[in-house]
Amino acid sequence: MVAGPGPLPHPGTDAAATVDPDTDLVAAVACGDQAACRELVNRHLSKMIAVGYRMLGNQADADEVAQEVFLRVWKQAPKWQPGKAKFETWMHRVAINLCYDRLRKKREITGEEHLPELADEAATPAEALQSKELGERINEALQRLPARQRQAVVLCHHQELTNIEAADAMEISVDALESLLARGRRKLKELLRSEMDDVLGAGL
Amino acid sequence: MTLDEFEKWIDAYGAKISSWPERVRGDAATFLDTDPAAQGLINEARALDGLLDQAPAGEVHASLVADILASTPSPQSSPASTQHTQGFIGRAESLIKILWPQSGWLRPAGLLTATMAFGFYMGFAGGDEINPFYEEESDTIATLFDLPEASDWDGLTWDEEGLQ
């Protein structure tokens, strides 16, 4: 066995050469430039909603998280120091922390994390797909992952952060991130077995 | 690379070898070409990747965009004030040049006097508007907008499975 996956970035993301595309925009936001604020929203709002939606499983919570992220962006922009991390990575960190806060509160109220029921496994894949949209089942499978595994999958697969950026956003090592990713994806394979068999059976 | 090693990498990063850490991509590609079982793993991982791609991402509603844009900070007057300041100093320097065209050594003193006069002027004529954002909210920024500290997670512990 070779050593575990190391802190190497994904293609085109040489950490030393990474330029933060948001640096100028954040500086303009810090000066209250409304056009820059709009551009930052255009550039990142959908990503923040996606993080919230995939972490929390519903639109309302995702909207609130995204709005809170941008409130913090407006306030934090004057203090931003370029070069330490990409601004987008910081935004993801804020988003996942806000999601975590919500999961924690939900857990305090209910005593456990909300784990949505999956459709009856006895149903055939075709019936399952008819009874419930595929996307919804995938969302439910994601929600059944432990929060940290879900964060790792969302940041790396959906948000396409590099392993270094995702580890930074989660404030863990790359090795720990990869462990979370592997266990998360293995669990998803179990949860989405029938859907995967459908795909594989279709020869796609 | 062994099949077990290949599987560990694919478990973490999925079917796209181009997304794997650079230092293992070459070995992985070679292994994929030589081991039929590796192709099976790739196919399975590709199926999972494809399903994950279909996970709903939520929607961007115009009302949310409007709410977020309504919360943007007011434009600071700093840039304008800076221009104003530079304009004032420039005009003062021009005036000094006109009044004392040959007195280069007097210019710093004159400029200093003019700057002091400008300071008094701004103190009486709206100095608060120079940078209200910092004046009024810097403390709030420091307390509200830093990331949660470790102490915020009291009562909870993480292990790699998640919340405990």
Side-chain angles (χ1 to χ4, degrees), chain A residues 5-6 11 30 100 146 178 180, chain B residues 9 13 18 23 76 153 160-161 163:
Chain A
Y100 182 76
E178 286 165 342
L180 289 168
Chain B
W9 290 107
Y13 289 106
S18 60
R23 64 190 166 94
Q76 289 185 42
W153 310 93
E160 291 181 344
E161 290 293 341
L163 271 172

Side-chain angles (χ1 to χ4, degrees), chain A residues 80-125:
Chain A
W80 180 251
Q81 296 180 315
K84 289 189 174 179
K86 284 172 69 177
F87 194 73
E88 184 183 39
T89 304
W90 175 81
M91 290 180 73
H92 276 95
R93 183 188 295 182
V94 173
I96 63 171
N97 279 327
L98 289 168
C99 291
Y100 182 76
D101 282 347
R102 284 170 181 266
L103 292 170
R104 180 177 59 172
K105 286 173 184 169
K106 189 177 293 183
R107 181 174 180 264
E108 286 171 353
I109 292 170
T110 64
E112 61 182 10
E113 289 188 70
H114 172 63
L115 297 177
E117 295 295 324
L118 291 178
D120 182 6
E121 292 298 328
T124 67

